Each structure stands twice: as structure tokens, then as C-alpha cells.
Amino acid sequence: ESAELASAFNGMADRLQRSETLRRRAASDLAHDLATPATVLESQLQAMVDGVVPADAAELEKARAAAASLSGVILQLGELTQAESAPLQQRAEPVAVGELSAEIVAALDGLLRERAVEARVDGEVTASVDRGQLARALRNVVTNAIQHSPAGGEVLIAILAGLRPTVRVQDSGPGIDEEDRPFVFERFYRADRSRGGQRAGSGIGLTVARELILANGGTIELESSG
């Protein structure tokens, strides 16, 4: 009984420590990625108040775009925090991964049309995972693949059976530079100018995918021919 009590206490301490770590990281992320759009919005509004720029439709649209950027970052940060706490929320059930992938492709039809990219799913396997978490992870990875495919390109989602079910998402983009590959799944890598990145985006999507896959007992890896 003493051993069981000690184990339960240690488990509770681990959960509390993880919760505190998540809180600190969320606060750090918030300060990191909100600074630029907040500064842009404040400067734009101050310029209109001071009469430096006219408060016309064009300038108001710039301010609205900055506010929309703030909203987008807040939503992404919330998604990241939820992903990092996914092990505490995971509820496994049998999931037809190919069917789920086809649903994701259908949901991304607008983006596929905009980018003039085709996407197809090949194969089927059933895995014991949290359906919602896997769906979010796959959606982020497939969205990334679509965005990095040229017009007329194709994204292939191959579902492979084996000792461990595998999902391989392959795009027809130019590949990833060798120096970038170790950081692809790192939080905020795309937005971190200290690493020389001049890329748009928050760099959160693939990190969320990694956290969700890990929470379900899987791994995520990069293969690039670029």
C-alpha cells in the first residue's frame, strides 16, 4: 500500500510539474509571437490618430489585417498548448486511417483548388488512436505539403500496414535545405530570425503535429530529396 501511495503521489507530482511547464511555455510563446503584429497595429492606429496617415479604407484595412494576425496567433498558441497536453487528454479508439485521411483531403478542397494541387489517399489500416488528435496532426502535415507543392503538383497520402501503421505524406515541392531539416518540427523555427529564417508563418503547425503524434505513441520523421 505504501508503494502504491508513493506511485500515485509521484504521478500527481509529475502531472503538476507538466502543467506548470505548459503554463510557462505558453506565456513565453505568447510574448514571442504577438510582439510584431501588436506593434504594427499600435503604430498604424497611432499614425491615424496623429494625422500622419489618413483614416481611410486602405489604412483601416491594414489595421484590420494586423488585428487578424493577432487573432490567428492566439488561436495557434491555444492549439499548441492543447497539443502539448494531449497525453493527458488522449482517448484511444479504433480509427480507419485511410478513411480519416480522405475526409481531411475533402475538407482541404478549397486550399487544393487555390494552389492548383491534387491530393489522393492510397491504402487503409486501422489504428488505436485518439481520432480527433490524429485528425489535427494529419491536417497540419497535409496542409503543409499542399502549401509547399507547385501548381500542378500532387500530394500523396500513403497508408502502410505493418508492425506499426504508417502514414507517409509526400509532396512534389522542391525539398527542404539540409541546414533547415533538424529544425522542421521545432517550435517557432520559421519565425525565428536568429536562425536566419526569412519565412512567413508562425512555425507552429508541424510542432502541433509532432506533439499529437507523440501523445498517441507514434513518431514523426522527415525525408527530403531537396
Side-chain angles (χ1 to χ4, degrees), residues 89-166:
Q89 305 167 357
Q90 198 254 9
R91 298 291 183 271
E93 62 179 298
V95 174
V97 180
E99 179 182 329
L100 178 61
S101 299
E103 292 176 6
I104 291 169
V105 168
L108 293 173
D109 182 67
L111 178 61
L112 287 164
R113 291 176 180 274
E114 177 186 334
R115 304 286 299 184
V117 172
E118 299 288 335
R120 63 186 177 93
V121 179
D122 182 20
E124 181 62 280
V125 69
T126 298
S128 179
V129 293
D130 185 297
R131 180 182 176 86
Q133 292 179 359
L134 179 61
R136 287 164 58 197
L138 287 176
R139 182 184 179 94
N140 285 2
V141 174
V142 173
T143 297
N144 184 271
I146 295 171
Q147 291 174 332
H148 289 85
S149 291
E154 180 184 66
V155 173
L156 171 62
I157 306 167
I159 315 298
L160 309 174
L163 293 177
R164 299 187 70 183
T166 300

Side-chain angles (χ1 to χ4, degrees), residues 6-93:
S7 177
F9 184 83
N10 289 337
M12 180 184 67
D14 288 342
R15 288 192 295 272
L16 288 173
Q17 182 177 9
R18 180 173 178 80
S19 177
E20 177 64 13
T21 299
L22 289 172
R23 185 191 68 78
R24 292 182 183 223
R25 290 180 66 174
S28 174
D29 293 344
L30 187 65
H32 179 285
D33 221 40
L34 290 181
T36 297
T39 300
V40 170
L41 178 59
E42 181 181 7
S43 298
Q44 193 70 26
L45 293 174
Q46 188 62 52
M48 286 188 282
V49 169
D50 294 342
V52 176
V53 298
D56 56 18
E59 297 301 327
L60 289 172
E61 173 58 24
K62 292 179 183 178
R64 186 210 63 78
S69 179
L70 282 171
S71 276
V73 170
I74 290 170
L75 288 174
Q76 287 184 318
L77 287 173
E79 185 179 3
L80 177 59
T81 301
Q82 290 177 4
E84 291 178 326
S85 63
L88 308 177
Q89 305 167 357
Q90 198 254 9
R91 298 291 183 271
E93 62 179 298

Side-chain angles (χ1 to χ4, degrees), residues 200-212:
S202 64
I204 291 177
L206 291 181
T207 306
V208 168
R210 179 191 64 188
E211 296 295 328
L212 293 172

